[in-house]
Amino acid sequence: MNPISIQLALSAGWAFLVALFAVPSIIHIAHLKNMLDTPNGRTVHSSLTPRLGGVAVFAGFMSALTIFAPLQNGVKELLAGCIILFFVGLKDDLVGMSVFKKFVGQLLATGIVMIMADVRITSFQGILGVYMLPVGISYAFTLATIVGITNAINLIDGLDGLAGSIVLIIMGTFGFYFYRYGGENFSNYAFVAVCLMGGMVGFLRYNFHRAPIFMGDTGSLVCGFIVSVLAIQFIELGGQPGTQLPFSATPAVALGVLFVPLFDTLRVFVIRMAAGQSPFAPDRNHIHHRLLGMGFSQISTVLLLGALNLLVILFVIHFADLGNLALIGILVGFSVLLSVFIGVYQSRLRRETVAAPPRPQTHP
């Protein structure tokens, strides 16, 4: 093993152990202080459960990264943004916070990485004939990308182990390419990926069904923010002159890597707006809710969505030579077909439920 591989392994191991040993203490304190999430009509769980698992993930990630990783090329600013979102999520998990205040926190974190580290999407790499973006459009599009992806990861966190598993898959994919092809300007993002993966694995030990602890906004906002920054840097890596990446369609590949959370978020936003509701109004229209309604168990749903994300990643990587526009068109077409299938299947289930005769009552 080369020295970088050893450092990466140490980083992941440190983050894993910190998270693994932190979770039981967090669970104990949360029950002792009654810092528990109450079930409601929208949630899947049925018992009082702590929502502070993100504290363990953040502790493992932050300590491992600051000990083992080079912090240049925007990683230091990424950590600063993570700290802001950690406290935003912590407050929301403990006492609640308005959507507006959470959005302001996301703007602050995004501003740090955009303005202080110049982390932004600078080119569409030929999509619709557009290459280099004007600076103003670049900042606006980057802001929308970071906020959108951050909230997409936050919204997919609806089942035991789901968000953590999806984040692991995404980080593993981005981390591999940063490690192999990152070069001087991007290779340290492999440390960001493996540190988050290590912390997440330590947390997932306690988060699969039936989970004694949830990730909460403390974890999902931080994870979403990290995912968004790595997605942007992955796109920028593909646009570098002389890049060693084995494909050039990095914007489309990034969309494929993020397929499940982006598909779920766009789908529920369209459904809510079509019904005349706010796109941020909570409901049970997420893809994991629909799969549960089809009769899948929680574990089966998590495995199915993880497998779906992996298959889409393998597809976009294998067919990256088709180019950005063709791949994005295929992803959009597949998303529409999947949405139609889910909607038709759900409608049929409702009709069968209404048409089913009532069970005869038996008396002792």
Side-chain angles (χ1 to χ4, degrees):
M1 293 178 68
N2 60 49
I4 297 299
S5 299
I6 294 172
Q7 280 185 281
L8 288 169
L10 289 172
S11 302
W14 180 283
F16 166 75
L17 291 174
V18 170
L20 184 71
F21 288 109
V23 170
S25 298
I26 294 169
I27 294 173
H28 175 72
I29 293 170
H31 281 279
L32 193 66
K33 300 297 183 180
N34 198 30
M35 297 182 292
L36 306 171
D37 184 53
T38 304
N40 54 52
R42 188 171 54 87
T43 57
V44 176
H45 67 287
S46 56
S47 59
L48 296 171
T49 308
R51 297 182 66 225
L52 297 172
V55 174
V57 177
F58 181 78
F61 166 77
M62 181 68 74
S63 59
L65 200 63
T66 52
I67 291 170
F68 296 102
L71 300 181
Q72 67 271 18
N73 302 327
V75 173
K76 181 175 63 176
E77 290 79 7
L78 169 65
L79 290 178
C82 287
I83 291 171
I84 291 174
L85 290 180
F86 171 79
F87 284 104
V88 169
L90 185 63
K91 182 179 179 183
D92 188 49
D93 287 335
L94 293 176
V95 297
M97 180 181 283
S98 68
V99 173
F100 175 75
K101 290 180 179 179
K102 288 166 70 174
F103 179 67
V104 170
Q106 292 173 33
L107 287 181
L108 288 173
T110 303
I112 289 173
V113 295
M114 276 200 317
I115 297 170
M116 299 184 67
D118 200 33
V119 172
R120 56 190 175 91
I121 297 173
T122 59
S123 170
F124 279 178
Q125 300 181 23
I127 299 174
L128 299 176
V130 178
Y131 286 90
M132 292 303 295
L133 297 173
V135 173
I137 294 176
S138 172
Y139 278 119
F141 190 76
T142 301
L143 173 64
T145 299
I146 293 178
V147 172
I149 295 174
T150 299
N151 285 287
I153 298 297
N154 181 243
L155 291 173
I156 201 70
D157 185 26
L159 288 184
D160 296 342
L162 178 56
S165 299
I166 296 296
V167 168
L168 269 182
I169 293 168
I170 293 170
M171 287 291 99
T173 306
F174 285 147
F176 170 78
Y177 285 105
F178 285 127
Y179 170 67
R180 286 291 302 275
Y181 308 105
E184 184 179 348
N185 293 327
F186 295 96
S187 61
N188 59 331
Y189 283 93
F191 283 92
V192 177
V194 300
C195 288
L196 184 57
M197 290 173 69
M200 190 60 70
V201 172
F203 164 70
L204 283 175
R205 158 67 178 79
Y206 301 94
N207 187 235
F208 277 105
H209 189 66
R210 300 178 177 264
I213 189 168
F214 301 147
M215 185 187 299
D217 280 11
T218 313
S220 60
L221 288 177
V222 171
C223 289
F225 181 67
I226 296 168
V227 166
S228 68
V229 172
L230 263 66
I232 289 170
Q233 295 295 66
F234 176 75
I235 293 171
E236 287 298 294
L237 173 61
Q240 294 290 305
T243 180
Q244 298 300 310
L245 279 174
F247 45 77
S248 59
T250 47
V253 172
L255 289 175
V257 174
L258 299 167
F259 179 78
V260 166
L262 292 184
F263 166 74
D264 179 62
T265 299
L266 292 173
R267 178 180 168 275
V268 295
F269 275 22
V270 169
I271 290 173
R272 291 167 184 174
M273 289 188 291
Q277 299 175 341
S278 165
F280 301 101
D283 57 27
R284 290 179 63 87
N285 277 316
H286 290 282
I287 186 172
H288 47 273
H289 291 136
R290 299 281 68 88
L291 291 175
L292 290 174
M294 293 178 186
F296 290 97
S297 67
Q298 286 206 39
I299 294 177
S300 297
T301 299
V302 172
L303 294 175
L304 184 61
L305 291 175
L308 172 63
N309 213 90
L310 274 173
L311 288 173
V312 174
I313 291 171
L314 293 173
F315 175 85
V316 293
I317 290 173
H318 185 73
F319 292 100
D321 290 340
L322 292 174
N324 282 307
L325 200 57
L327 276 180
I328 291 172
I330 292 170
L331 290 174
V332 170
F334 178 61
S335 299
V336 171
L337 290 174
L338 187 57
S339 296
V340 170
F341 170 76
I342 293 172
V344 169
Y345 194 98
Q346 195 66 25
S347 298
R348 191 178 74 181
L349 281 177
R350 289 197 187 100
R351 288 197 301 270
E352 290 175 353
T353 302
V354 171
R359 294 182 179 181
Q361 294 184 351
T362 57
H363 300 281

